[in-house]
């Protein structure tokens, strides 16, 4: 692999600086109250430089969230194939909640959720995009559970998928608005287990 030129290294440094500064400003003032001009002034670069690296300020957040989806690919590889579909779903959520708590943190997640609720983000934004890795993994397990008769046949796969996705968002939202004594991983496990039990076939 060829080493980077000094110009390429400089570009990467600028991108990283824009990324960090943007997130710091979002956390301090709120996503909707920070302009691209504020970001570029703080970094001492032009607006053109910002747009060279990020199409919009929301794309700064997407950059970090896409890193999170890379984590899910690693989790998927470590799942025991002998587990039931429900157990696989619970395992993925357990790993996800631990990662959000210990690595991502509340500040960034609050920024993501706040940005998703503003009119500055398109309706089909990344947070709910069905092509996200986490949703693709969950869909695979849900379809597996339906095929194997673990889940009810009277509820369609898309409806089960929507319910399982809401388990994630609801618990993360609760975590963001509660104090530090809210254990995201255990609350998610309890909540999702109850939901999954209601979706199982009880023939």
């Amino acid at each position: 692999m060829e080493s980077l030129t000094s110009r390429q290294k400089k570009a990467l440094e600028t991108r990283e600086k824009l990324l960090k500064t943007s997130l710091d400003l979002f956390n301090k003032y709120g996503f909707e109250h920070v302009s691209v001009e504020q970001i570029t002034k703080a970094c001492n670069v032009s607006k053109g430089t910002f747009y060279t690296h990020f199409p919009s300020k929301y794309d700064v957040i997407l950059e970090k969230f896409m890193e999170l989806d890379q984590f899910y690919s690693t989790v998927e590889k470590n799942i025991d194939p002998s587990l039931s579909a429900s157990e696989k779903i619970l395992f993925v959520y357990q790993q996800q909640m631990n990662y959000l708590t210990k690595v991502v943190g509340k500040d960034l997640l609050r920024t993501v959720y706040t940005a998703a609720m503003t009119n500055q983000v398109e309706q089909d934004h990344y947070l709910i995009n069905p092509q996200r890795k986490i949703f693709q993994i969950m869909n695979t397990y849900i379809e597996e559970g339906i095929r194997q008769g673990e889940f009810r046949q009277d509820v369609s796969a898309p409806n089960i998928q929507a319910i399982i996705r809401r388990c994630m968002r609801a618990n993360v939202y609760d975590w963001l608005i509660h104090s530090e004594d809210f254990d995201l991983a255990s609350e998610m496990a309890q909540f999702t287990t109850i939901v999954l039990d209601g979706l199982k076939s009880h023939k």
Side-chain angles (χ1 to χ4, degrees), residues 9-22:
K9 288 179 182 178
K10 181 66 175 177
L12 287 175
E13 289 172 1
T14 300
R15 180 183 179 85
E16 189 60 31
K17 185 177 181 181
L18 285 167
L19 182 64
K20 183 181 184 307
T21 301
S22 297

Side-chain angles (χ1 to χ4, degrees), residues 160 163-164 167 190-200:
I160 294 178
I163 291 168
I164 297 304
C167 285
Q190 181 181 22
F191 184 88
T192 309
T193 297
I194 293 171
V195 171
L196 289 170
D197 284 345
L199 291 170
K200 287 181 180 177

Side-chain angles (χ1 to χ4, degrees), residues 86-140:
S86 294
E87 289 171 328
K88 290 175 181 176
I89 290 170
L90 287 170
F91 178 82
V92 173
Y93 271 161
Q94 185 76 21
Q95 297 301 307
Q96 179 194 37
M97 296 306 114
N98 285 333
Y99 190 86
L100 292 181
T101 302
K102 298 174 182 178
V103 179
V104 178
K106 279 189 175 183
D107 286 343
L108 178 57
L109 261 294
R110 282 196 184 103
T111 301
V112 170
Y113 272 62
T114 300
M117 291 184 286
T118 70
N119 59 9
Q120 300 180 49
V121 179
E122 293 181 3
Q123 186 174 4
D124 187 23
H125 54 76
Y126 190 71
L127 193 64
I128 61 173
N129 190 317
Q131 298 306 310
R132 282 188 62 198
K133 183 63 178 179
I134 181 64
F135 297 151
Q136 291 177 353
I137 292 172
M138 291 301 181
N139 292 351
T140 297

